[in-house]
């Protein structure tokens, strides 16, 4: 199944990477893809939780930081983690699209 997914370093998960349209694969392969995606998708909330924990740690550091450049760095890191969380939620919701395509 890994031929149909690629690891995204930024997100920390496998994401769909189909060489062809999903409908062009056999029903069996489509079902295998959907099953694998469900496994990946199921790991997304845990990944988000880990990132939220990192944000909380950085916010705690930021609240006591008086060094302006370091404060800016922490803010940038927090913003990037929040952006990753947002993208993960988007991928989490793509189940409906993948599922619909497989069942059409």
């Amino acid at each position: 199944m890994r031929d149909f997914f690629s690891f995204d370093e930024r997100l920390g998960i496998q994401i769909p990477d189909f060489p062809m349209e999903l409908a062009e694969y056999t029903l069996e392969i489509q079902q295998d893809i959907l099953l694998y995606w469900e496994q990946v998708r199921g790991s997304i909330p845990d990944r988000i939780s880990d990132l939220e924990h990192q944000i909380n740690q950085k916010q705690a550091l930021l609240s006591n930081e008086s060094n302006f450049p370091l404060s800016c760095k922490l803010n940038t890191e927090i913003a990037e983690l929040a952006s990753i969380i947002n993208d993960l939620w988007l991928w989490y919701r793509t189940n409906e699209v993948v599922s619909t395509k497989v069942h059409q």
Side-chain angles (χ1 to χ4, degrees):
M1 258 322 94
R2 294 191 187 266
D3 294 340
F4 301 103
F5 293 82
S6 60
F7 186 76
D8 186 292
E9 291 288 332
R10 180 176 169 270
L11 300 179
I13 63 167
Q14 296 280 340
I15 58 172
D17 186 17
F18 307 138
M20 304 183 311
E21 289 293 319
L22 194 57
E24 296 178 42
Y25 296 105
T26 65
L27 185 57
E28 181 180 351
I29 290 175
Q30 290 179 32
Q31 290 172 338
D32 289 345
I33 288 170
L34 182 59
L35 178 62
Y36 185 77
W37 175 244
E38 279 300 311
Q39 293 170 348
V40 171
R41 186 176 170 267
S43 72
I44 291 175
D46 290 336
R47 175 79 175 122
I48 289 170
S49 179
D50 291 342
L51 295 170
E52 288 172 339
H53 180 71
Q54 290 178 41
I55 287 173
N56 291 337
Q57 288 177 325
K58 290 180 185 298
Q59 286 176 327
L61 291 172
L62 183 60
S63 68
N64 296 320
E65 187 55 58
S66 59
N67 180 309
F68 182 72
L70 189 51
S71 294
C72 291
K73 182 180 182 292
L74 286 168
N75 269 321
T76 300
E77 291 171 359
I78 290 167
E80 176 58 21
L81 291 169
S83 174
I84 294 168
I85 288 171
N86 185 59
D87 290 348
L88 286 168
W89 278 123
L90 292 173
W91 277 110
Y92 186 77
R93 291 183 189 106
T94 62
N95 178 60
E96 297 157 13
V97 174
V98 173
S99 214
T100 302
K101 286 184 178 180
V102 169
H103 294 294
Q104 285 181 345

